Amino acid sequence: MKKILYLILALCYCLLFGEFFVRLFSPAPLLPRYVTAAPYGIRINVPHAHYWQTTPEVQVQLRINSQGIRSDLEYTYDKPKDQCRILLLGDSFFMGYEVDLTDSFAYLLEQKLNAEGVPCQVINLAVSGYGTAEMLIALEQEGLKYQPDLVIFQWHITDPDDNVRSALFRIKDGELVRLHSTYLPAVKLSDWLSQFTLYRWLIENCQLYAALRETAAARIKSFLASLRKRQGEAAISKTTAAESPNLPQATEYALRLSTRLLQEAKRISNAHQAQFCVLEIPDRLGRTKFRSHITEFFTPQLRQELQILTPLPMFEATSSPALKLYYEKGHFHLTPEGNRLLTEYFGSELKKAGWLNH
Amino acid sequence: MLFNSYIFAIFFALFLPLYVLLRHRLQAQNLLILIASYIFYGWWDERFLILIMISTVTDFVTALGLVNQKPSLRQGLGLTAFLLLGATLLSLRTWDQTAWTLIPLFIFVAGGWFLHRYLMTLEDHTRRKAFIFVTIITNLGLLGFFKYFNFFIDSFQQSAALLGWQVDAVTLNIVLPVGISFYTFQTMSYTIDVYRGQFQPTRNFIEFSAFLVFFPQLVAGPIERASHLLPQFQRLRVLQWDAIRTGTWLCIWGLYKKIVIADNLAPLANRIFTDPSAASSGELIAAILAFTFQIYCDFSGYSDMARGLSRMLGFDIMVNFNLPYIARTPTEFWRRWHISLSTWLRDYLYISLGGNRYSALLTYRNLMITMLLGGLWHGAAWNYVLWGAYQGFILVLYRLFHIDTWIAQRQSSLVVQRLQDLALIAIMFILICLGWLLFRAPSLQVIGTFIAGMNSLEYVPQLTTVAFYIWPLLTYQALQLWRGNLEPLTQVPWFLRFNVQLFVVYSLLLLASKGGQQFIYFNF
């Protein structure tokens, strides 16, 4: 009995030491993610979830409505009269991680359009961790029910890998085909754990837990990515590899898959009388250095066809050593300033394109 | 197979139970070490195993020849089969490209057999000279070809071009076999020791080849001496809990030095050394400091892991680093840094050249030659030669001013002596850092940019990064110094030991570099 007591005490000491260590030497952002399984086999935000995100730079509350949307409002499927609707599909950037709701891209865009006399609802179906494959399924299964006039897919450098890893789709004989019916990584486990108050307290307050989970997840993610890439390599046709000789084969396959997913999303959107575009979140290299991958990844014809937009020139022109467009001690999401700039850029592109003119 | 890789963890997890299982059977255990070591080395490139095998056979046979013995007929056939196995491994992947190597191998075996028969007929003194000549030519020949061939050809071409001659020389696409400098020096020391009558050669080929390729220290040392390591292959190793415990800690500590300190400092040093022209004075200083600790932690981390793994298996291998950055003089630095190489160079080169037995001028010459060749041992590039020359120069300089003698004979009070020591350590540390600049810089132009650019002392954030990663190392070294023990945790209260170990384990889990780097000394 005494030995067991000592063991428990030692374990508690080790954990306390670890928490102290992380807070002192390697502060970990606390960015809990409450997701659960949607009936259509992918993740959605847990309805009615209210939780805090804390990083060394910011503390924000995330409030999810009954439809799994980060919003304080509820939306009907039927579009209100004399209003247009924009549907956002993306990951944590579009969902507005690390910023208040009022500083998120969805909220700012809606405010901007309404202020400019274009009454519009922006419905944000973004879920942290989504890749293009999940966005496409969410669009088909849920998004189109909202009768959008414009569908915006977020694009980020992580998407090609995410699309291969999720294995929801693959390219077979040049065609996009559904591979697995579900992609719910660790969702069952997190659903079960989330029942416990202690677990919820841990993920919102314990930096040691956050740091260890992140380290483990990064290692598993890179391991899975390497496995899936190898599988993907087999599916690449020699012709495609010859078209883009500068890219590694696995990246080439991932990009080809991503392109097909975007093309499919555009086809479905257009078939439902909605315009379609892709908005890139540039990669952050430094406070004043950013990188866009779209010119590297997509041909000019594809960029034209899919309406791929990047705010890179505006980010570069506006950035300065004193201005943070991305957070630097969390998960490098856009700051309120970054979201504002993105909104400004997209608003001007929207006007130029005239997608909502009708 | 890197020590800090998952594949090595799997390899060792498979190896250890087998090793324990064979703990009462010496020959079988040695054979297991031999096979495991070949798998460990062959993981990089199995084709290079033939080079180790050639060195092994050559030194086994010549060492016996030095004491007028020869392998039995059965052993001779076994050695031939052994070499054929190496040739098969060489040809496995690309038979059509490498099958031709069987011809020189056949010439090597047949020629070796005839040469051996002839040398054994010679009188004692001549035979001994001839055998040592054969072993040096073979080992240095392989090392010279694989490591220095292109370097000397290129240098010759460039020198000729400076004189206005155009020389069309052949350069080959030669891949440097991992660790060739380490195992070549280890095998040569065995034969030279036998030649000098300091060591009796073994007739057991398995124990000799296992000694030569013992995987914990095969690719980056320490360069062991036969008199120390070979006897450990000749007796049953006792696996003790205490050795396993302390060996595991040495491995963890070595891993910490490598993946937390060295690998996290590497990107900082690499970035500034790649383009120093854009860096400020403070950044240049930070880059040199980062590399100073990167190279130390990278190499000594490997040595710690090698010692730890060996200890777990019941072996004791030599200490390779003993707090080198608290050296007061260059002589002391070389007694603390890469001890196995510096003692090798001292015993087999410096002393053979005459050491300090003759005039001061000859001693300086011997020091310069030894350090120049020591520099060249690190790699086939002029910056290593320059670094060697620099080390030789500061050794001569300190000797010229009799600083080591003054330290040994000074009569001042203890406090004054400690203050003097601090000043000497600080000066020596700056000299060491300058040495690493020569070692790391890819060109003379970069060295020039650094020297011209380091014109003021200023704070830059990179200095905080360096300090963040090295303070635990410095604290641990202060403990080592205070306890007078390189493994001080055995002498401190359990609670302190427990906290240090927790700190290191958490650092490995949370602060380890994301992008793993190969060990620097694998290239040497």
Side-chain angles (χ1 to χ4, degrees), chain B residues 148 151-152 155 273 334 367-395 431-451:
Chain B
Y148 301 108
F151 168 67
F152 284 119
S155 300
F273 271 97
W334 283 104
L367 279 172
M368 285 305 293
I369 292 174
T370 306
M371 294 322 294
L372 274 171
L373 290 175
L376 199 59
W377 174 91
H378 286 82
W382 284 109
N383 60 318
Y384 297 125
V385 179
L386 189 63
W387 176 73
Y390 171 79
Q391 292 295 338
F393 173 73
I394 58 173
L395 273 166
L431 291 174
I432 292 168
C433 289
L434 286 175
W436 293 132
L437 165 64
L438 307 180
F439 190 92
R440 175 63 179 80
S443 65
L444 283 175
Q445 198 188 354
V446 168
I447 296 170
T449 311
F450 262 87
I451 291 171

Side-chain angles (χ1 to χ4, degrees), chain A residues 12 92 114 122 141 155 191 269 349:
Chain A
C12 289
S92 51
N114 288 331
V122 177
Q141 301 291 329
W155 174 263
D191 277 349
S269 302
E349 290 297 315

Side-chain angles (χ1 to χ4, degrees), chain B residues 284-330:
Chain B
L284 295 174
I285 293 169
I288 296 180
L289 277 175
F291 184 69
T292 298
F293 285 97
Q294 183 205 342
I295 193 166
Y296 169 64
C297 290
D298 191 285
F299 194 15
S300 73
Y302 187 92
S303 291
D304 286 341
M305 283 188 265
R307 288 182 63 223
L309 288 168
S310 305
R311 191 179 292 176
M312 287 160 79
L313 303 178
F315 287 89
D316 168 50
I317 61 173
M318 69 183 292
V319 172
N320 213 13
F321 291 87
N322 181 9
L323 309 175
Y325 292 158
I326 59 153
R328 293 167 297 181
T329 65

Side-chain angles (χ1 to χ4, degrees), chain A residues 13-14 17-18 21-22 25 219, chain B residues 6 468 471 499 506-507 510:
Chain A
Y13 181 78
C14 290
F17 186 100
F21 179 93
V22 176
F25 299 113
R219 291 192 191 277
Chain B
Y6 292 119
F468 177 79
W471 77 263
N499 281 291
Y506 275 120
S507 300
L510 301 168

Side-chain angles (χ1 to χ4, degrees), chain B residues 149-194:
Chain B
F149 180 80
N150 281 345
F151 168 67
F152 284 119
I153 294 285
D154 284 345
S155 300
F156 173 69
Q157 269 181 316
Q158 283 166 15
S159 310
L162 281 176
L163 296 170
W165 302 329
Q166 286 302 315
V167 181
D168 292 326
V170 178
T171 55
L172 302 174
N173 184 20
I174 301 169
V175 180
L176 180 70
V178 174
I180 190 168
S181 307
F182 289 93
Y183 69 73
T184 303
F185 271 36
Q186 181 155 319
T187 187
M188 279 173 65
S189 80
Y190 166 76
T191 323
I192 297 171
D193 282 353
V194 173

Side-chain angles (χ1 to χ4, degrees), chain B residues 21 40 49 74 81 83 100 114 156 187 199 236 242 267 281 302 321 376 404 422 439 442 444 492 499 506 514:
Chain B
L21 214 65
F40 174 83
L49 281 172
R74 208 175 132 202
L83 286 174
W100 62 270
F114 282 114
F156 173 69
T187 187
F199 191 73
L236 274 175
D242 199 43
S281 174
Y302 187 92
F321 291 87
L376 199 59
D404 287 286
L422 279 177
F439 190 92
L444 283 175
V492 297
N499 281 291
Y506 275 120
K514 303 282 184 291

